[in-house]
Amino acid sequence: MPNKAHWEHVYSTKAAGDVSWFQEHAALSIELIKATRVARTSQIIDVGGGVSTLVADLLAEGYACVTVLDISGAALRRSQDDLGPLAVKVTWLEADITQAELAPNFYDVWHDRAVFHFLTDAKERAAYIAAVKRSVKMGGHIIVASFGLTGPERCSGLKAMRYSPESLHSEFGEDFRLLSSVTETHHTPSGKEQAFIYCYCRKGPE
């Protein structure tokens, strides 16, 4: 994964609305998380949460145990500032997800929008998936959104992977059941269109 300095620079020099992946509200992510039917006290982690508005939307929906992980401390601080007094209700982790030591069998829902497609090295993807296997409870839910097959080959000056639902699921393997997939056309702040695919899986055998 690109080094920490890259993302610290991005989040230290660009406003939230200037990055291509910005959404005013992560409506599809919220819809998929609600579709898991987990309790509002369930443990949810947003990987690469940065300055995403998802954490605010989750708190507004009544989810009480939310963790936001990002490699960039600048991104986390901005998210905390945006939340104001509500920031104390969230667990904040500054870490590279391919190296993070997360609590085992802890999370009920793992959410990632726009991190996995930056893992262009197979070893990094394997480390990411190993983290999912360790830290998500058996029967837990995994929602990962990455660029679709017609999505951009580069983003934020970096190479990016592109996936179909089948190829994204195959990265995770048979330990995860693919329950559904959704295609989204994301409109960037500059007016461009980007194809995203969301895969919703569950950890465990058929």
Side-chain angles (χ1 to χ4, degrees):
M1 190 168 185
N3 63 31
K4 179 177 173 63
H6 174 88
W7 293 111
E8 294 292 7
H9 177 75
V10 168
Y11 286 111
S12 297
T13 59
K14 292 188 176 184
D18 291 339
V19 295
S20 64
W21 53 89
F22 176 75
Q23 296 175 303
E24 287 190 10
H25 293 284
L28 183 51
S29 293
I30 288 289
E31 179 183 330
L32 289 169
I33 290 170
K34 291 172 71 173
T36 66
R37 299 183 181 275
V38 298
R40 292 303 194 266
T41 53
S42 297
Q43 294 288 343
I44 300 173
I45 184 168
D46 184 21
V47 176
V51 293
S52 167
T53 58
L54 177 63
V55 61
D57 290 339
L58 287 172
L59 293 176
E61 289 285 343
Y63 292 98
C65 303
V66 181
T67 296
V68 177
L69 180 149
D70 203 282
I71 196 172
S72 168
L76 294 176
R77 288 189 292 274
R78 284 169 56 179
S79 186
Q80 291 166 17
D81 289 344
D82 289 343
L83 282 177
L86 292 178
V88 298
K89 297 180 178 289
V90 178
T91 299
W92 306 93
L93 296 178
E94 183 178 339
D96 179 337
I97 190 54
T98 66
Q99 301 174 17
E101 295 184 6
L102 301 175
N105 302 310
F106 186 74
Y107 296 106
D108 299 282
V109 179
W110 174 293
H111 174 270
D112 162 14
R113 179 181 178 274
V115 171
F116 193 75
H117 61 216
F118 283 117
L119 304 181
T120 57
D121 183 88
K123 291 182 179 179
E124 292 176 335
R125 294 195 297 275
Y128 177 108
I129 293 162
V132 177
K133 289 181 177 180
R134 283 195 310 271
S135 63
V136 175
K137 297 175 183 176
M138 185 60 66
H141 309 266
I142 300 95
I143 299 163
V144 176
S146 294
F147 286 143
L149 293 178
T150 60
E153 296 181 346
R154 298 186 67 85
C155 180
S156 190
L158 303 171
K159 291 182 179 180
M161 303 287 288
R162 300 187 294 177
Y163 293 97
S164 67
E166 295 77 17
S167 63
L168 181 55
H169 177 236
S170 70
E171 291 280 348
F172 285 78
E174 61 184 15
D175 290 335
F176 301 89
R177 287 176 287 158
L178 179 61
L179 300 183
S180 66
S181 62
V182 183
T183 300
E184 177 187 57
T185 300
H186 169 62
H187 297 272
T188 72
S190 65
K192 295 180 180 179
E193 293 186 350
Q194 293 180 338
F196 272 80
I197 60 105
Y198 289 67
C199 283
Y200 167 31
C201 299
R202 185 171 296 158
K203 180 182 174 183
E206 295 290 345

